[in-house]
Amino acid sequence: MKRSFDAIVIGAGPAGSSAALTLAKAGLDVALLERGSYPGEKNMFGGVLHRLTALEEHFPEFWNQAPLERHIVKKSLTFLTEESSFNVNFDTQASDRVPYNGYTVYRPRFDRWLADEAVKAGAKLYCGCTVEDLLKDGAQITGVKVMRDGGEIKAPVVIAADGVLSFAAKKAGLRRPAFDPAQMAVGVKALIDLPKEVIDDRFGLVRDQGASNELVGCTQGVRGGGFLYTNYDSLSIGLVMHLGSLSESGKTPYDLLNAFMEQPQMAKLLKGGRLLEYSAHLVPEGGYDMVPETHGPGILVAGDAAALCIVTGLNLEGINLATHSGMLAGKAAIEAHQRKDFSKQSLACYQRMLENSYVMQDLKLYRRTPHMLHNDRIYTQYPELLCGIMDEIYRIDGTPKETMTKLLMRAVKEKIGLKNMIADVYSGWRAL
């Protein structure tokens, strides 16, 4: 394979396919390279897709066109101990009206659909195509070398959307050679088969309504949290855990996931389900401070490859940032073609686009959050504190009750310590 294109996009995930779609719709000849046998093959099952305003530019009725599972109307935050749970629920009819605020999706199906839309617009999709090196003319990147038949594909601009470990960004010198475990997380997920009628009844849903639940206290002291999402006729349940903390614990991700699924409150929600598959995936959770250089001579970096991910403990945002950055990368490449200038200075328009969008502004807003989430008390002591207080409030055992103030102060002193509590509140206030 020896061909030339106007642009090359590495990776047919949400970021890459969004970039290819944007470029193809502008009339550029674009190659979309995917190492899997089909787009989405390498991705985890299921997940929550926040509203994709960028894709709505191309698909005005996105919710009717994309292969979505359910739209989210119920969001919950749960604090777990081995035997108890404390839930905060938010349910609004506003989320039951279009445009919906978020969806559950089956990633292999969604990623394949988005890549197919890029192909319909004119992009050339090459699957089973692994990039093994970048082609250069001096410092200027001029294309890629692929393992498939030892081929070379040339283009004046390359968009790296090849995931969190981005080989292309590393080869271009835009990111550190090795990743920092302190800025990474590992996600493990199980897909549980359940009939739609059972899911609707168990979670109080109708039609295509969905629910998402984020959980704290389910990782046996490892920094991280859990999630439970309703698909159309299955449940996605899993954990996202700080890689460094997990390594130090000596525990395995799947043992922790199995223990989470066996916790009494979770077991009730999974009752009668059939395990379909386990999967795992690395997640960039370093936030703004983890973002590498996003552009160089002849190259742009988008999505997870640029560490565009927000973890706040309430939300995990990634696909929405990926699609938006992919479209902006496509627009930057189009502008570079119009100028016939693919230098680093010319492609800096991409960084300016990111800075002016919600992508970088939200990352800056939550810049302190990753550091706050390194507080080990969040994952053990606070769930125990909340569940313990609720147990004492509701327990009737013939002994006199304390005032709420005394109960709260005693519990804080025993479980957390007053100075620690004040420090944690201040840290959380600054981060969120």
Side-chain angles (χ1 to χ4, degrees):
M1 182 191 294
K2 291 186 183 294
R3 281 205 56 184
S4 295
F5 291 86
D6 295 324
I8 297 167
V9 179
I10 307 172
S17 291
S18 296
L21 177 67
T22 304
L23 290 160
K25 281 200 166 188
L28 272 66
D29 191 16
V30 54
L32 179 58
L33 312 182
E34 168 56 40
R35 67 188 178 95
S37 58
Y38 59 87
E41 181 189 29
K42 302 296 183 180
N43 291 311
M44 292 174 65
F45 279 112
V48 165
L49 190 71
H50 298 282
R51 184 181 174 189
L52 303 181
T53 53
L55 284 185
E56 288 174 15
E57 292 181 24
H58 293 293
F59 308 103
E61 290 194 359
F62 173 77
W63 46 89
N64 288 328
Q65 295 168 273
L68 308 171
E69 295 287 305
R70 294 173 180 259
H71 61 274
I72 303 295
V73 298
K74 294 185 176 184
K75 293 187 73 69
S76 302
L77 175 63
T78 300
F79 296 87
L80 278 182
T81 66
E82 289 185 7
E83 297 183 344
S84 307
S85 65
F86 176 77
N87 301 283
V88 180
N89 299 313
F90 179 65
D91 187 344
T92 172
Q93 288 302 303
S95 294
D96 202 22
R97 295 190 291 268
V98 297
Y100 300 120
N101 191 50
Y103 319 85
T104 53
V105 295
Y106 175 66
R107 281 290 302 277
R109 188 179 301 132
F110 178 81
D111 287 11
R112 180 178 279 187
W113 168 81
L114 187 55
D116 286 345
E117 291 298 321
V119 170
K120 289 177 185 177
K124 310 296 190 304
L125 174 63
Y126 297 95
C127 292
C129 190
T130 301
V131 173
E132 64 175 354
D133 206 351
L134 299 177
L135 301 177
K136 294 182 179 181
D137 182 2
Q140 189 75 24
I141 292 168
T142 59
V144 299
K145 183 178 180 181
V146 297
M147 293 177 67
R148 183 171 165 174
D149 302 324
E152 294 182 352
I153 306 176
K154 294 188 176 182
V157 61
V158 173
I159 298 176
D162 49 340
V164 63
L165 298 179
S166 184
F167 169 83
K170 196 180 301 181
K171 290 289 290 186
L174 300 180
R175 57 183 296 175
R176 290 188 294 271
F179 67 82
D180 182 355
Q183 295 182 319
M184 303 288 285
V186 59
V188 288
K189 180 183 295 184
L191 190 72
I192 308 296
D193 181 50
L194 268 180
K196 178 184 185 301
E197 297 75 17
V198 174
I199 294 174
D200 289 346
D201 181 64
R202 196 165 290 177
F203 291 87
L205 306 170
V206 295
R207 305 186 312 279
D208 294 332
Q209 292 179 342
S212 71
N213 193 356
E214 315 297 331
L215 303 102
V216 182
C218 51
T219 52
Q220 298 183 20
V222 176
R223 296 171 198 157
F227 57 85
L228 177 65
Y229 306 139
T230 58
N231 303 314
Y232 188 75
D233 53 6
S234 64
L235 299 176
S236 292
I237 182 170
L239 301 170
V240 178
M241 294 166 289
H242 182 269
L243 195 56
S245 179
L246 177 64
S247 178
E248 291 171 6
S249 75
K251 298 170 182 174
T252 68
Y254 292 112
D255 285 342
L256 291 172
L257 177 57
N258 288 335
F260 174 41
M261 294 166 63
E262 291 170 0
Q263 198 274 353
Q265 279 71 29
M266 304 311 298
K268 293 174 188 175
L269 297 175
L270 303 177
K271 184 179 179 181
R274 179 172 61 91
L275 177 65
L276 295 179
E277 186 162 332
Y278 279 121
S279 53
H281 185 65
L282 281 176
V283 179
E285 67 164 17
Y288 181 80
D289 293 335
M290 187 182 177
V291 177
E293 286 190 77
T294 60
H295 63 285
I299 188 168
L300 302 167
V301 189
D304 276 3
L308 301 180
C309 184
I310 298 175
V311 181
T312 65
L314 299 176
N315 272 330
L316 172 60
E317 297 184 49
I319 301 176
N320 55 329
L321 306 182
T323 56
H324 203 91
S325 64
M327 287 188 63
L328 294 181
K331 291 177 180 179
I334 292 167
E335 288 190 12
H337 267 282
Q338 292 169 345
R339 290 189 293 269
K340 294 182 173 54
D341 183 357
F342 303 92
S343 64
K344 182 175 182 177
Q345 183 178 5
S346 174
L347 293 176
C349 63
Y350 172 53
Q351 180 65 31
R352 291 192 292 272
M353 291 179 188
L354 284 174
E355 295 285 350
N356 291 330
S357 73
Y358 80 90
V359 174
M360 207 60 76
Q361 291 180 30
D362 283 359
L363 279 163
K364 287 181 179 179
L365 176 66
Y366 294 114
R367 185 172 188 168
R368 293 189 179 96
T369 304
H371 304 289
M372 179 202 74
L373 294 176
H374 283 197
N375 182 349
D376 291 331
R377 288 188 290 274
I378 294 173
Y379 310 104
T380 53
Q381 291 161 276
Y382 279 103
E384 291 171 0
L385 172 72
L386 289 169
C387 290
I389 288 174
M390 298 310 297
D391 180 63
E392 292 208 35
I393 289 173
Y394 288 119
R395 190 191 317 129
I396 308 297
D397 58 5
T399 58
K401 294 288 186 184
E402 292 181 293
T403 65
M404 288 293 293
T405 302
K406 285 184 178 180
L407 172 61
L408 179 60
M409 291 302 293
R410 178 171 58 80
V412 167
K413 288 178 181 179
E414 290 177 356
K415 296 286 186 182
I416 309 291
L418 192 56
K419 287 185 178 179
N420 287 335
M421 181 78 163
I422 293 171
D424 294 343
V425 169
Y426 178 68
S427 175
W429 172 74
R430 293 185 73 214
L432 300 173

